[in-house]
Amino acid sequence: MGRVYGRDRVVMARLERGMTIGCLTVLVVLIVVPGTVLGALWYWSWHIDKVNAEHRQQALLALDDQLRRTKNETLRALNGEDSADPDALTAVIHQHTGAPLISHDASRHVFSARVVKRVEYETRTLSGIGRDVIDRCLAYTYARAEGHGWTSTTSVLTYDACGPSAAIGSGARMAGRRVAALEASELNRAGVRRALAPYRRFLTVSAVTRSGSTVRMSIVVSDETTRQCYRITRDGSQVLSVPAQTCQARNSERNDL
């Protein structure tokens, strides 16, 4: 009986040692595996942030390059413009900058334009690939000194500073869409007014004129703090909207319809 009991004690000791080793193994696994997972997640998160920062920097550099090209192209176009008409010069600035709000200081021969420029870039997340955007409120200033060419400066403003510009741009696009939807028989002052009546709080028809098959409209687009005249031209089904400094019919066009 003593031998049996002794043998049992040996078996029990072995079981205890096995259980101890097993518990230690499980404990090590419980410590190492979560730590490895957390470490991998930390590294992946760090890598994602690094990649996203690089993509953002590349987007900013692309935006800076775009602004330089816009400035140079606009200056070349202004210097090549024969007309001194503020409306013609406004159209040139709008064509190259896309600014919906352009003011003119005749006493200083200065045009000021504001516009939001946006650049998108790819981002990485733990779940996949996404997109992010960078918005910049830009103020362009174009000045012409007597006997000299045009000069330009570009400033980055707070995003809120472009609120009026965004509102003017939205109103001008709305007016263009309403004009584009008109039937040919409605392309007169009364028809345009009816089309814009739901938006008369910020869209005012100043003049509607016809030159051959082309109908031109002068419309004042307003928001709470500012206003901008727009020349909207409808030629067949094509509609072109361009900011201007004066909201009145040109002498070369027929009387108001």
Side-chain angles (χ1 to χ4, degrees), residues 15-235:
L15 287 175
E16 289 176 356
R17 285 198 300 273
M19 291 178 63
T20 301
I21 294 172
C23 290
L24 289 174
T25 302
V26 171
L27 182 61
V28 169
V29 170
L30 290 176
I31 293 174
V32 172
V33 171
T36 302
V37 172
L38 290 175
L41 287 175
W42 175 87
Y43 174 79
W44 183 238
S45 178
W46 171 84
H47 178 70
I48 286 175
D49 289 342
K50 183 174 182 293
V51 170
N52 289 341
E54 291 174 352
H55 287 178
R56 181 178 177 85
Q57 183 61 31
Q58 291 169 1
L60 287 171
L61 292 174
L63 179 59
D64 289 341
D65 182 63
Q66 177 189 355
L67 298 184
R68 282 192 296 271
R69 285 187 285 107
T70 296
K71 174 183 177 180
N72 293 334
E73 290 170 1
T74 308
L75 286 174
R76 280 196 297 268
L78 288 171
N79 285 317
E81 176 62 45
D82 295 331
S83 175
D85 178 17
D87 287 343
L89 297 172
T90 298
V92 169
I93 295 171
H94 173 73
Q95 177 185 356
H96 290 278
T97 66
L101 181 62
I102 304 173
S103 62
H104 176 226
D105 185 337
S107 63
R108 298 191 299 124
H109 306 290
V110 171
F111 289 85
S112 300
R114 287 194 184 184
V115 62
V116 173
K117 290 293 184 182
R118 167 172 289 192
V119 60
E120 295 187 0
Y121 64 96
E122 183 182 276
T123 59
R124 302 292 179 88
T125 65
L126 290 176
S127 59
I129 297 176
R131 305 289 295 179
D132 204 350
V133 298
I134 300 172
D135 288 325
R136 289 289 184 269
C137 175
L138 302 174
Y140 295 104
T141 300
Y142 297 97
R144 180 171 59 183
E146 195 67 31
H148 297 80
W150 288 86
T151 61
S152 174
T153 58
T154 303
S155 302
V156 179
L157 308 178
T158 62
Y159 186 79
D160 291 344
C162 272
S165 176
I168 294 295
S170 177
R173 288 189 294 272
M174 174 60 69
R177 287 194 295 268
R178 301 291 288 188
V179 168
L182 288 175
E183 298 291 337
S185 60
E186 298 176 296
L187 289 173
N188 51 54
R189 188 181 182 92
V192 174
R193 278 185 166 179
R194 281 195 300 271
L196 301 184
Y199 312 98
R200 60 181 175 271
R201 185 172 62 85
F202 57 91
L203 296 176
T204 304
V205 180
S206 178
V208 179
T209 62
R210 184 185 297 275
S211 178
S213 62
T214 302
V215 178
R216 295 181 175 86
M217 290 142 267
S218 293
I219 295 174
V220 180
V221 184
S222 309
D223 86 329
E224 296 178 355
T225 60
T226 190
R227 49 184 278 165
Q228 178 75 57
C229 177
Y230 264 79
R231 297 282 176 82
I232 299 180
T233 303
R234 165 83 179 264
D235 189 357

